[in-house]
Amino acid sequence: MVLVLNAAIAAGFFVTGALGDSSALIANGVDNLSDTAVYALSLVALSHGPVWKTRAATASGVMLLIFAIGILIDVGWRYLYGSEPIGPTMMTMSAVAAAVNFLCLRLLQRIEKPDVNLRAATTFSFNDFISNGGILAAGALVLWLGQNWPDLLVGFATALIAIKGGIEILRDARTEQRKNGEAKQ
């Protein structure tokens, strides 16, 4: 269910990001698309052993870091060449996405004793929920000020959140790998 919800919200972010000329919306669309891939990996990893789960979590962390680099490039491009984000579009999409991401987070938190891969998936949903609040605030500022810098700032902040999350996931995967390696000896 979380996978399907993230795929749908990613499509919504891409459409509204393109229509609303918003770096923040497109950043979250890329993020939710990468989340969808991570959730697919998580589903496959559930039926495999700890080594596979750790590798899937590592792939998730790397994917999140790659996503962050792409967003930084988009923000830089829009900073240099300009953009005209539409505040109400940003605010509407962020409210819808916040509700969906909150539901995803609640669904993931129901899982008892989550493994490293499910902890990575929860990190992704939590980051998305935080980003939605930033988009809402940026949309209001864009509407009020008539400038693009709030949109760019949230796009940049989304990339920083992704970097932090990616590093946390990689650390967790490395810790899990060491623990599993020691258990085998």
Side-chain angles (χ1 to χ4, degrees):
M1 184 167 183
V2 172
L3 181 135
V4 171
L5 289 171
N6 268 273
I9 208 71
F13 271 127
F14 285 130
V15 169
T16 58
L19 294 174
D21 197 20
S22 170
S23 182
L25 291 176
I26 291 172
N28 278 274
V30 172
D31 182 35
N32 280 96
L33 186 61
S34 68
D35 293 355
T36 302
V38 168
Y39 295 135
L41 278 174
S42 297
L43 284 174
V44 173
L46 287 174
S47 63
H48 289 78
V51 171
W52 211 95
K53 291 176 183 180
T54 303
R55 287 181 184 160
T58 300
S60 300
V62 169
M63 193 180 322
L64 198 52
L65 293 174
I66 291 169
F67 146 75
I69 292 167
I71 295 309
L72 290 173
I73 291 169
D74 180 68
V75 168
W77 178 267
R78 289 174 190 272
Y79 176 76
L80 292 174
Y81 296 101
S83 63
E84 294 182 22
I86 300 170
T89 302
M90 294 171 66
M91 294 186 314
T92 301
M93 187 61 207
S94 68
V96 170
V100 171
N101 284 316
F102 182 75
L103 174 61
C104 290
L105 194 55
R106 298 298 297 163
L107 289 170
L108 290 168
Q109 288 174 335
R110 287 184 184 173
I111 298 170
E112 293 180 24
K113 298 180 185 178
D115 62 22
V116 64
N117 211 39
L118 289 171
R119 289 191 302 268
T122 302
T123 298
F124 273 52
S125 286
F126 183 72
N127 289 349
D128 291 344
F129 189 69
I130 291 171
S131 294
N132 297 141
I135 294 171
L136 184 63
L141 286 171
V142 163
L143 183 62
W144 182 43
L145 301 172
Q147 296 182 356
N148 73 344
W149 67 262
D151 177 59
L152 298 177
L153 183 63
V154 170
F156 183 76
T158 300
L160 293 181
I161 290 169
I163 290 169
K164 179 183 179 291
I167 290 170
E168 287 174 0
I169 290 168
L170 291 173
R171 282 184 186 150
D172 191 25
R174 190 173 317 152
T175 300
E176 196 74 19
Q177 185 179 23
R178 286 185 193 134
K179 186 170 70 172
N180 289 335
E182 291 171 5
K184 290 180 182 178
Q185 294 176 356

